[in-house]
Amino acid sequence: MYLYHFYDARTGPFRSLTSISQDEAREVIERIKIERPNSQCASRHDKYVQYRHNCERILREEFAKKGGIMEIDSPHYMVVEFSPWLSTWYEQCEYIKIPIEEFDLKTVSFTYGDSMPTFSDKVNDGKEYRKKLYTYDEILKVIEKYGLPQDWNDDGKYGPERYIEAHVWSDRTINRYLPKE
């Protein structure tokens, strides 16, 4: 298994709106709307950062219940295997691909689908993986049962799950993949 991180080449990898102040994050989003109007990020609504912070609070709480190790406050976002849909999010898309074996799995959590709709009160379709966070061993069982969302729902026709999101709660592996300055 590989974890992928998609990003715009002009910005660089592993940049997070939740690792900076909410005011700074709003400024970044406004700049993106002007400079990169065709990117997925340019269509984010005014309360996106607030919603993302709330979602991360839930992720932290749920991962703590499972004994997860969180070395950083805001996770690095990745997905399980290649996502054709995510590859269209950025005007100059690039990605980093890291084998799962390079991570301390006690620092990685997963949601079957993006964490925002997974924990949203607006998505109430009764699917068993809604409102749930998984460890590595647990997500393997979910994948065995349902497969990868990008294989059966890349266009979003069957719901909001288009990939499996991975939340990396450590800088250790990530730092080895950052561009050298």
Side-chain angles (χ1 to χ4, degrees):
M1 174 188 296
Y2 288 90
L3 298 186
Y4 284 75
H5 174 73
F6 294 86
Y7 62 96
D8 190 291
R10 294 166 290 184
T11 304
F14 300 109
R15 306 293 295 263
S16 173
L17 290 171
T18 56
S19 66
I20 56 179
S21 74
Q22 288 197 31
D23 288 337
E24 288 174 298
R26 281 189 210 93
E27 289 173 16
V28 168
I29 291 172
E30 289 308 311
R31 246 189 345 267
I32 289 171
K33 288 178 179 185
I34 294 166
E35 296 171 2
R36 302 169 193 180
N38 297 317
S39 70
Q40 178 75 14
C41 299
S43 65
R44 293 207 164 121
H45 56 79
D46 291 342
K47 294 194 180 237
Y48 173 80
V49 175
Q50 178 184 339
Y51 289 0
R52 175 54 69 191
H53 274 285
N54 183 56
C55 184
E56 285 184 5
R57 179 189 54 75
I58 294 167
L59 295 175
R60 276 190 300 278
E61 290 171 1
E62 294 301 311
F63 200 36
K65 289 178 190 174
K66 292 179 178 279
I69 298 170
M70 293 165 277
E71 298 172 355
I72 56 177
D73 292 330
S74 179
H76 299 288
Y77 290 93
M78 301 186 78
V79 297
V80 174
E81 301 302 342
F82 185 82
S83 169
W85 184 61
L86 281 179
S87 72
T88 68
W89 274 32
Y90 303 96
E91 292 178 2
Q92 294 181 22
C93 186
E94 290 189 9
Y95 63 85
I96 292 175
K97 173 181 168 182
I98 305 175
I100 192 75
E101 295 81 12
E102 291 195 30
F103 294 94
D104 174 352
L105 297 177
K106 292 180 182 118
T107 66
V108 184
S109 60
F110 301 86
T111 50
Y112 195 83
D114 186 283
S115 56
M116 295 277 278
T118 292
F119 288 102
S120 171
D121 292 334
K122 295 178 183 175
V123 180
N124 295 303
D125 55 15
K127 292 180 180 175
E128 72 173 284
Y129 44 77
R130 296 283 182 250
K131 315 273 188 279
K132 291 187 182 168
L133 177 129
Y134 298 98
T135 63
Y136 176 69
D137 290 335
E138 291 170 333
I139 200 66
L140 289 178
K141 292 175 186 165
V142 177
I143 293 169
E144 186 176 314
K145 186 172 184 178
Y146 295 104
L148 296 173
Q150 57 264 50
D151 292 343
W152 59 268
N153 195 39
D154 190 57
D155 61 2
K157 181 178 175 181
Y158 300 107
E161 59 278 20
R162 294 182 178 204
Y163 49 81
I164 296 169
E165 189 175 83
H167 324 105
V168 179
W169 297 94
S170 172
D171 288 329
R172 286 180 283 147
T173 299
I174 301 303
N175 285 341
R176 294 197 305 264
Y177 284 85
L178 293 175
K180 306 294 183 242
E181 297 198 20

